[in-house]
Each structure stands twice: as structure tokens, then as C-alpha cells.
Amino acid sequence: MKKQALSKRTVVLSGVALSTIGVTSYLLKDEKRKNKMSYGIQRVKNKAKLLLSKKEPVMEKAGHPDPYDIEDNSMVAEGSMYSVNYFNEKSKSK
């Protein structure tokens, strides 16, 4: 009895594996789909790395500054003053 159940499970797993291989090879046949698929896989890998590292993504933070994040606000203030000082120096040299 146990031998028969094991063979059914083996047949099912083999069928799933063959189906997966068939679908994957069909999808990778077209260059456009291949690029789209590799881009999607890369995005999933990046999201997984981000979740595992527990860091806040830069792009999500960029549009929503936190007024209590002193370090970030100081960096923004320094960056904005750099361009003002550069413009002032260029204007004086003319």
C-alpha cells in the first residue's frame, strides 16, 4: 500500500516539474518576455533583500520627509545651500 502511494506522489511531483519546465521554456522563447521576466525576478530579489535587511527604501522616504529626522533635514539644508553658494560665487565672478 505504501509503495503505491509513494509512486502516485512521485508521478504528481514529476508532472508538476515537467509542467513548470515547459511553461518556463515557452516564456523564455520570446526575447521580450525573457527580458520582462528577468526584470520581474530582479525586482523580487531586490524587495526580498530589502525586507531581510530591514532598511527603509530611499525612494519611499524621499517624498515624505520626517520633520523629526534631524540628520536628514540637516543634509537637505546643506545641499540646498551648496547650490545657492555656487550661484552667488558665479554671479560675483562675472
Side-chain angles (χ1 to χ4, degrees):
M1 186 73 172
K2 192 167 183 135
K3 232 180 187 181
Q4 188 179 12
L6 182 63
S7 69
K8 284 182 183 180
R9 189 172 80 185
T10 304
V11 169
V12 170
L13 289 176
S14 298
V16 169
L18 288 173
S19 300
T20 304
I21 292 170
V23 168
T24 304
S25 58
Y26 173 75
L27 290 174
L28 295 177
K29 201 162 109 177
D30 184 26
E31 190 68 30
K32 187 176 180 180
R33 276 189 251 159
K34 188 187 303 185
N35 291 338
K36 190 175 182 180
M37 202 167 152
S38 65
Y39 175 72
I41 291 170
Q42 190 65 35
R43 283 184 49 213
V44 169
K45 282 173 41 179
N46 289 339
K47 284 185 180 183
K49 284 180 187 176
L50 186 66
L51 289 174
L52 292 175
S53 69
K54 303 282 184 184
K55 290 185 180 176
E56 187 174 348
V58 175
M59 290 308 294
E60 286 183 18
K61 185 179 177 186
H64 308 288
D66 183 11
Y68 299 107
D69 189 358
I70 305 301
E71 187 177 307
D72 188 46
N73 293 336
S74 298
M75 185 174 59
V76 170
E78 290 171 5
S80 63
M81 287 308 297
Y82 177 80
S83 58
V84 171
N85 291 336
Y86 180 81
F87 178 76
N88 288 340
E89 287 177 18
K90 286 293 184 181
S91 297
K92 287 179 186 177
S93 66
K94 285 185 181 179

